[in-house]
Amino acid sequence: MPTQIAARPTDPVLAAEQAHLDRARDQLRRMREAADALDAARASDPLNAALLSHVLARRVASLRDDPHTTLFFGRIDVTTEVGEETFHIGRRHVSDGEGDPVVVDWRAPVSTAFYRASPTEPMGVHLRRRFGVDKGRLTAYEDERLDTAPAGPAVHSDILAAEIERPRSGPMRDIVSTIQPEQDAIVRSDLTTSICVQGAPGTGKTAVGLHRAAWLLYSFRAGLERAGVLVVGPNRAFLDHIGAVLPALGEVRVRHTTVDDLLDHGRVRATDSPAVATLKGDARLAPVLRRAVWSQVRRPQEALVVPRGVRRWRVPTHQVQEVLDELTTRGVRYSAARALLPQRLAHHVLVQMERAGESPDDRVQDAVARSAPVRAYVRDVWPALDPAGVLFSLLSDAEALAAAGEGHLSSEEQRLLLWRSPPRTRGSARWTRADMALLDEVADLLDRTPSLGHVVLDEAQDNSPMQLRAVGRRASTGSLTVLGDIAQGTTPWATESWDDAMRHLGRPEREQVVLDRGFRVPGLVIDFAARLLPSMAPGLGAPQSVRDDPGRLDVVRVDAPEVPAAVVRAVVEATVEPGSVGVIAADTQLPDLGEALTAAGVPHGRLDADHGDDEDRQVELVPASVAKGLEFDRVVVVEPAAIAGAEPDERTGLRRLYVVLTRAVSELTVVHADPLPGPLAG
């Protein structure tokens, strides 16, 4: 066992470490003041001055100190090429005025040993020290000697367990002080590697994905700052929950978005039935849309005639068709190929001019390409397209859909896709959420979508194949970190296989990792929720909680009229201790529960799909539909049968319930009047 020294400020070791922390804060303040003093006005021109000002502002922001945390959380004493050295490991690099490190960034190569060293593989580490922290000050330390310990896995750490299990409130925080070896291996995977993480509830998969983004920016900063890093989550409430993690690690350049915002190609004004939405999300729509786009290129009906001076130059239809065939098969986007067509046609005119004894140059070819006859001819055989126009024509014209869907869609599927009452104009089209992915597909067929350097996709199992294609094309020249849990798929089109999902993302060759050790969900809670797995995800292994504290589970059955009062009692009891409280129920039940809490004088907020609560409250009402990815110290789940029954089918309903039940970090109270779903009964 490690030797733990509790809160004794007079302890000489603890006092020395606190003095080092105070010195680190002073040096960080010096670094921030030095960055703030740099003058962007000295740049050579206004554009560079604005750019430099932006860079300096980001630098100053990344050097802010949080007085509620420490700048370092651990220390390793190691043998290096220069001898014995001590490194304090923290959230960011801090150096003194001479450039020597005071705190080493957790992402630095030397820090790897802090997370992975064990008595079996000490990695040159003699001593690993963890620190207990309270309100920004060191309160305890725990030493683990790896050079004298018997070979075997790393021993239990009370400080590590206490940090994992301590109550949380507000947004998600970083886990740099508690990263486990299997998590660290994912975090430090090379930029060229795309990774798919199957992670059970509480295994830290979201935090791992965010920390990988931070590590990649540290290790490959020059390239990624140009190419960009993007985090894609399921809804705004989720993004609000995770939004503070990367800034806390000094990374303020990562953009966060939802899939819906990423694919914002128009106003969503209608809702598809589950059957239609699932069909629109099917990958078979990709070749249908491709055919719809490229079928717009028409066979020439007459020769191209270009008057120039007293002569009329003629390009016969068979030569025009040869040009069209060459452009449609060279693998470029529709609009790019269309832009090449005038020059190709002008080239044929110049060949005839040269055969007639003239000596035209490039200026003549450009003039012919820009001439009115050529531009009119191009408009006729290769019309300009836009995504909304293509999809509008496809969904409102049975013949067009039949031609594009032949061999891909059955007649019944075509009937489902067709608008029953087609709008008169594109402007009046009632686009749905599923249409956004189709519009994005068409947009990429017309013009190539720019690629980012790295994309982190969380809750990936809930995205349709067409949505996955849209995300994947934004990392077509970069890499992906894909996070999810097959058992938590709650959409009708949720993936059943990571092989399928990664193929749609364009990464069939990837590294697959399974995280099944639950650090944030206690044993009693995860075991209760895992009863649902055989009914909703056969063959998927149950997660194993490694928490010291098994947590608390209460299942309370009352008569239907007593449900609101029972919920209030559970919430009041839960708020006695510090930490967050989430009340999760079917979306339709939240208004009544909110009224009951208000009448009882319990302050609370509400999280919705489009935003999180701006104010940090201890108690939050959470619709079951947006609970995914969130966590609370104590959770009150109301009427599990209603939560499951709100979904279109039994499997999806049980998966939604599984998500809801696994949001608790310490305690779970289930309040119900209706019988529990079968797997939970008893």
Side-chain angles (χ1 to χ4, degrees):
M1 288 288 291
T3 302
Q4 182 175 3
I5 307 299
R8 287 189 347 198
T10 57
D11 181 275
V13 174
L14 189 63
E17 296 289 11
Q18 183 62 51
H20 190 82
L21 175 59
D22 294 339
R23 176 174 176 244
R25 290 196 188 281
D26 290 339
Q27 294 302 324
L28 181 64
R29 186 182 306 109
R30 177 193 58 78
M31 293 168 63
R32 185 172 62 254
E33 290 172 352
D36 202 23
L38 294 175
D39 188 3
R42 295 184 179 180
S44 58
D45 57 70
L47 180 61
N48 283 327
L51 178 61
L52 180 57
S53 178
H54 180 64
V55 171
L56 292 177
R58 291 193 315 191
R59 172 66 173 165
V60 171
S62 70
L63 292 171
R64 289 197 180 101
D65 186 13
D66 183 354
H68 299 291
T69 64
T70 60
L71 291 179
F72 57 81
F73 46 81
R75 162 184 156 178
I76 51 175
D77 295 356
V78 301
T79 301
T80 67
E81 295 178 355
V82 298
E84 301 297 320
E85 292 192 83
T86 294
F87 298 101
H88 285 79
I89 312 300
R91 287 171 173 79
R92 68 197 69 193
H93 176 80
V94 180
S95 59
D96 61 19
E98 302 300 320
D100 295 325
V102 178
V103 178
V104 177
D105 195 299
W106 67 276
R107 298 168 289 188
V110 71
S111 301
T112 305
F114 177 78
Y115 297 107
R116 300 194 198 178
S118 69
T120 302
E121 294 288 342
M123 301 175 69
V125 177
H126 304 305
L127 178 142
R128 173 164 49 206
R129 176 172 289 168
R130 300 183 189 275
F131 296 102
V133 181
D134 183 39
K135 298 178 181 177
R137 295 191 65 81
L138 304 181
T139 59
Y141 65 92
E142 190 178 68
D143 285 349
E144 182 183 358
R145 296 205 170 272
L146 302 180
D147 52 351
T148 59
V155 296
H156 176 81
S157 165
D158 291 333
I159 284 180
L160 182 63
E163 172 61 20
I164 290 174
E165 297 179 15
R166 72 183 174 93
R168 307 292 174 93
S169 61
M172 178 187 286
R173 298 173 184 168
D174 65 71
I175 62 167
V176 289
S177 62
T178 63
I179 293 174
Q180 300 297 295
E182 67 268 33
Q183 296 173 330
D184 189 68
I186 299 171
V187 168
R188 297 177 193 268
S189 297
D190 189 76
L191 175 62
T192 59
T193 303
S194 287
I195 292 182
C196 177
V197 180
Q198 160 63 37
T203 55
K205 58 183 177 295
T206 295
V208 166
L210 295 174
H211 286 67
R212 186 185 185 208
W215 182 83
L216 289 173
L217 281 164
Y218 176 89
S219 303
F220 305 94
R221 188 169 301 280
L224 286 182
E225 283 193 339
R226 290 193 304 270
V229 176
L230 177 68
V231 175
V232 183
N235 53 58
R236 297 304 311 179
F238 174 84
L239 294 183
D240 289 341
H241 181 61
I242 69 170
V245 173
L246 288 171
L249 299 174
E251 298 300 345
V252 294
R253 293 167 298 280
V254 178
R255 186 164 69 96
H256 295 66
T257 188
T258 65
V259 172
D260 290 340
D261 289 341
L262 186 68
L263 308 184
D264 183 12
H265 290 281
R267 181 183 173 190
V268 174
R269 302 170 57 193
T271 302
D272 288 315
S273 68
V276 173
T278 302
L279 179 57
K280 286 183 176 179
D282 196 306
R284 290 177 297 151
L285 268 293
V288 172
L289 294 172
R290 172 176 290 277
R291 186 180 290 170
V293 166
W294 287 98
S295 66
Q296 301 300 313
V297 180
R298 303 160 186 163
R299 295 190 66 84
Q301 300 301 311
E302 55 185 28
L304 167 64
V305 178
V306 181
R308 186 166 178 84
V310 297
R311 302 288 300 272
R312 291 168 61 87
W313 307 100
R314 183 176 180 275
V315 181
T317 56
H318 73 275
Q319 289 186 349
V320 174
Q321 188 61 53
E322 290 174 358
V323 172
L324 298 181
D325 292 341
E326 186 267 330
L327 290 176
T328 56
T329 57
R330 65 178 300 174
V332 299
R333 296 303 196 269
Y334 180 94
S335 297
R338 184 179 187 273
L340 295 173
L341 180 57
Q343 289 289 338
R344 293 290 196 276
L345 296 176
H347 172 73
H348 281 275
V349 173
L350 260 67
V351 169
Q352 294 185 35
M353 291 180 176
E354 291 170 348
R355 289 173 179 170
E358 297 187 16
S359 301
D361 55 18
D362 290 343
R363 291 176 298 175
V364 174
Q365 181 168 334
D366 289 340
V368 171
R370 294 194 304 269
S371 66
V374 171
R375 287 188 286 113
Y377 197 87
V378 169
R379 285 195 300 269
D380 185 55
V381 299
W382 201 303
L385 301 177
D386 64 89
V390 172
L391 191 58
F392 178 87
S393 299
L394 195 64
L395 299 183
S396 59
D397 187 334
E399 292 185 2
L401 183 56
E406 184 180 0
H408 300 292
L409 301 173
S410 68
S411 57
E412 176 60 22
E413 288 172 329
Q414 294 174 29
R415 186 191 65 78
L416 280 175
L417 289 176
L418 276 173
W419 283 326
R420 294 186 179 181
S421 300
R424 294 184 177 181
T425 63
R426 288 185 302 172
S428 59
R430 294 177 59 81
W431 301 118
T432 66
R433 181 171 178 255
D435 289 332
M436 296 298 108
L438 302 184
L439 290 169
D440 194 78
E441 185 82 21
V442 176
D444 186 67
L445 290 168
L446 300 180
D447 298 284
R448 184 180 298 277
T449 303
S451 177
L452 297 163
H454 191 76
V455 175
V456 178
L457 175 62
D458 206 348
E459 303 297 348
Q461 76 281 345
D462 274 341
N463 292 292
S464 71
M466 293 301 290
Q467 289 172 329
L468 293 173
R469 287 176 58 87
V471 173
R473 68 175 61 102
R474 285 160 173 81
S476 59
T477 60
S479 55
L480 285 161
T481 299
V482 180
L483 313 167
D485 181 8
I486 296 295
Q488 295 186 59
T490 53
T491 56
W493 46 83
T495 187
E496 295 294 330
S497 162
W498 287 123
D499 287 338
D500 290 342
M502 296 305 293
R503 186 177 69 254
H504 297 314
L505 283 163
R507 292 294 189 280
E509 301 296 329
R510 85 286 182 182
E511 183 177 336
Q512 183 77 41
V513 182
V514 176
L515 295 178
D516 56 8
R517 292 205 301 155
F519 303 100
R520 293 292 290 160
V521 184
L524 285 174
V525 173
I526 199 65
D527 290 346
F528 181 68
R531 297 183 189 179
L532 300 170
L533 285 174
S535 300
M536 67 185 200
L540 196 65
Q544 299 297 315
S545 177
V546 296
R547 295 273 298 272
D548 289 345
D549 183 356
R552 175 178 171 180
L553 170 67
D554 293 319
V555 180
V556 181
R557 183 165 188 175
V558 297
D559 293 334
E562 298 300 318
V563 168
V567 170
V568 170
R569 287 195 297 271
V571 170
V572 171
E573 181 181 348
T575 55
V576 172
E577 298 292 335
S580 57
V581 180
V583 181
I584 310 178
D587 298 28
T588 56
Q589 293 185 318
L590 258 63
D592 290 342
L593 295 175
E595 291 179 5
L597 290 172
T598 300
V602 179
H604 63 279
R606 172 167 171 163
L607 300 181
D608 289 304
D610 56 347
H611 62 82
D613 198 2
D614 293 335
E615 187 174 343
D616 186 14
R617 296 183 176 90
Q618 185 179 13
V619 180
E620 295 282 3
L621 277 174
V622 185
S625 61
V626 300
K628 188 171 297 181
L630 306 180
E631 65 176 26
F632 303 90
D633 288 289
R634 286 167 287 282
V635 169
V636 179
V637 173
V638 186
E639 292 291 11
I643 292 173
E647 301 300 326
D649 57 73
E650 181 182 9
R651 188 205 65 168
T652 305
L654 293 180
R655 288 186 171 187
R656 178 73 69 189
L657 182 56
Y658 179 75
V659 169
V660 167
L661 293 174
T662 53
R663 300 307 95 198
V665 173
S666 299
E667 300 176 7
L668 172 64
T669 300
V670 178
V671 178
H672 70 106
D674 296 332
L676 294 176
L680 298 181

